[in-house]
Amino acid sequence: MSIVYGLIFADKSMSSLGELVRHRTSASLPYACRYRLIDFALSAMQNAGIRDVGVVMSENYQSLLDHLGSGKVWDMSRKSGGMRLLPPFDAMNSPRGENVDVMERLISLETFISELNADYFLLTTGNLIANIDCDALFKAHLDSGASVSLVMNERMGSREYFPFPVDKEGYVENNRGNLDENSKLHFLNTAIMSKPTLLQMIKLCAIIGNSGSFNYGIQRLIDDGCSIKAFMHEGYAESIDSIQNFYDSNMVLLNSKLRRELFTAERPVHTKLGLDLSTYYSEEASCRNSLVADGCMIEGEVVNSIIFRRVAVKKGAVIRNSIIMQDTVVSEGADLSYVIADKDVVIGAGVHLIGSPKLPIVLPKACVL
C-alpha cells in the first residue's frame, strides 16, 4: 500500500490581512464560529486516511500551536509519525524574510523529505477554505499516470488564473500565459506527486538558483518533460489573503447550500473542541439569518452575522452584517454594521461603528472602545 505524506504550508500571511494576522498566522485565523482555516487541510487529509503530516511554520505561530496541540483531534497524535511541526530551517536566514516562497521552503526541507518513508506527497496551504476529496484526488492521480496532479477550481471569483493552459484532456500545456476561455482555471495551491518527482522539482529549482513560487517549480518540471494533470474540485474554494475575502468567505456561510458544500457528513471538518454551555437568548433577544456558536449570551439584536463562542450581546445592542470573534463583549446600546471584531474586544455602551460591504471595519484583538 502506498504511503502518502502531507505537507501543509502554514507559514505565510499576506500583509493585506492587516490586524487579523498581527498576532497569528493566517492558517490559525478563526472561521465559521468555531473553526480555524488549517482545519480544512488537516481534515481533508484525515478523511483520506493520511495520518503523517508536516506543518511548515515560520513566525507568529503561537496561536497555531495552541490550536493544533498534539494533533489528537485529527488522529495524528502517534508514537511513530503523526503530526510534525516543522520550523523554517535555513529559510529563516533568507534575505527576503517573510516573503520566502514555497519552493524556497521545499529546498530547505530537502533532507527531511528525502529521509521520510513515503511514496507520495500531498502539498497544500493552511489558508485554503475547501473540502477537497483527497482520496479521489489520489486515485485519479494514480489512474492518470501523470507526474503531478494539481487541484483546480472554476469558482474562485476574481482570482488570477493559473498561468498555464490546460487542454481538453486535463493536462497542463507547455506554453505559459497562452490562455483561452477553456483553460482559465484557478490553482488551489494543492498538489500530489511521487517522492522522486518532488525531489526532482526541488533539485531543478535549487540548481538554477531561483527558487520562486510553486508555479515556477511546475514550469521546471514541464521543461524537464514531466506530465501535469488537473484535478477538478467542484465545491466552494477560497484562499484567504485579504480582509475583504476573509469577510466575504465568512458571510457566504449564511447561504445554506454553500454551508453544505463545505461541511459534509461524508467528509467532516474537525476542530479543537470547546466545552461551552448552550447559548442563552433573553426574551428581548432577536436573532435572524445568523450563525451563533455555543456559550454566547444574546440579549440584543443580531442580523446576518457570524458570532463566535462566548460573545456577549447586551440589551439594546444591534449587530448587523458583522463577524464577532470569541469572548467579545458588545455593550448596551452599541450599534455595529459591517464590522470584524477580533477576540477579546470590548465595545462600550452606545458605540456606533458603521463600515461597508467592501470596507468592513476591523477591531484588533483585545482592543477596548
Side-chain angles (χ1 to χ4, degrees):
M1 182 177 179
S2 298
I3 300 174
V4 181
Y5 193 92
L7 274 178
I8 301 174
F9 293 90
D11 62 326
K12 191 172 182 180
S13 298
M14 303 297 289
S15 59
S16 51
L17 281 163
E19 290 291 340
L20 294 177
V21 293
R22 181 177 294 275
H23 303 289
R24 61 168 74 92
T25 178
S26 57
S28 63
L29 271 172
Y31 179 73
C33 294
R34 59 193 293 260
Y35 299 91
R36 302 294 182 111
L37 297 188
I38 197 171
D39 292 339
F40 290 94
L42 288 169
S43 298
M45 293 180 181
Q46 178 190 9
N47 293 332
I50 301 171
R51 297 294 183 266
D52 293 338
V53 172
V55 180
V56 182
M57 307 176 297
S58 62
E59 59 180 19
N60 288 339
Y61 49 73
Q62 185 58 54
S63 174
L64 186 63
L65 294 177
D66 292 342
H67 180 68
L68 296 179
S70 66
K72 183 178 180 180
V73 171
W74 303 274
D75 194 23
M76 295 177 186
S77 177
R78 296 166 177 257
K79 292 182 179 179
S80 178
M83 179 186 292
R84 300 188 191 188
L85 304 176
L86 304 175
F89 298 103
D90 59 342
M92 291 180 66
N93 301 319
S94 169
R96 295 189 297 119
E98 66 177 8
N99 296 318
V100 175
D101 286 314
V102 169
M103 286 311 307
E104 191 164 346
R105 296 292 191 212
L106 285 171
I107 291 170
S108 71
L109 289 166
E110 182 179 5
T111 301
F112 172 77
I113 290 169
S114 64
E115 293 176 352
L116 283 172
N117 179 27
D119 303 304
Y120 293 87
F121 281 81
L122 175 60
L123 289 72
T124 190
T125 58
N127 66 335
L128 174 66
I129 300 173
N131 194 333
I132 297 172
D133 188 343
C134 292
D135 191 44
L137 167 62
F138 183 52
K139 290 177 180 176
H141 177 69
L142 294 180
D143 291 343
S144 71
S147 303
V148 182
S149 290
L150 306 178
V151 181
M152 305 279 194
N153 182 269
E154 294 179 327
R155 298 169 51 183
M156 287 182 69
S158 60
R159 296 283 172 172
E160 290 185 4
Y161 296 117
F162 183 62
F164 305 99
V166 178
D167 66 21
K168 294 180 180 179
E169 303 299 322
Y171 285 92
V172 177
E173 297 180 331
N174 191 12
N175 49 345
R176 184 170 181 169
N178 185 21
L179 301 178
D180 57 36
E181 289 302 319
N182 296 323
S183 65
K184 291 183 176 180
L185 301 175
H186 304 283
F187 176 41
L188 301 188
N189 296 313
T190 301
I192 191 166
M193 66 188 78
S194 69
K195 179 177 177 178
T197 302
L198 178 57
L199 291 173
Q200 177 185 1
M201 180 169 67
I202 291 171
K203 284 181 169 56
L204 287 169
C205 292
I207 289 171
I208 294 173
N210 182 2
S211 54
S213 66
F214 192 79
N215 286 347
Y216 181 82
I218 293 298
Q219 178 68 62
R220 300 281 68 78
L221 286 177
I222 294 174
D223 293 344
D224 209 43
C226 292
S227 59
I228 314 295
K229 185 74 184 289
F231 174 87
M232 296 303 300
H233 171 69
E234 303 296 341
Y236 178 81
E238 186 64 78
S239 292
I240 303 304
D241 55 15
S242 71
I243 289 172
Q244 186 63 59
N245 70 11
F246 173 78
Y247 176 82
D248 292 341
S249 66
N250 270 277
M251 301 310 289
V252 298
L253 295 174
L254 300 178
N255 181 319
S256 60
K257 181 177 181 295
L258 286 174
R259 279 205 311 275
R260 288 193 294 269
E261 283 187 9
L262 276 174
F263 302 99
T264 68
E266 296 79 16
R267 298 191 304 278
V269 180
H270 299 277
T271 191
K272 182 179 178 181
L273 297 177
L275 299 174
D276 298 307
L277 300 174
S278 299
T279 288
Y280 166 76
Y281 296 89
S282 72
E283 291 184 359
E284 297 84 9
S286 173
C287 188
R288 303 190 303 277
N289 193 37
S290 298
L291 297 181
V292 181
D294 294 337
C296 297
M297 178 184 296
I298 309 297
E299 298 176 298
E301 182 180 2
V302 178
V303 183
N304 300 331
S305 295
I306 309 293
I307 309 296
F308 285 71
R309 293 166 172 161
R310 299 184 299 277
V311 169
V313 182
K314 300 295 187 178
K315 186 176 180 179
V318 179
I319 300 174
R320 303 183 186 90
N321 306 303
S322 296
I323 301 167
I324 311 298
M325 297 187 198
Q326 67 187 51
D327 296 309
T328 289
V329 176
V330 184
S331 301
E332 293 84 352
D335 192 330
L336 309 180
S337 290
Y338 301 104
V339 170
I340 302 172
D342 209 329
K343 297 169 55 177
D344 301 309
V345 169
V346 177
I347 299 169
V351 171
H352 285 220
L353 296 173
I354 312 297
S356 72
K358 297 301 180 183
L359 193 63
I361 296 173
V362 179
L363 303 180
K365 180 181 178 180
C367 77
V368 178
L369 297 179

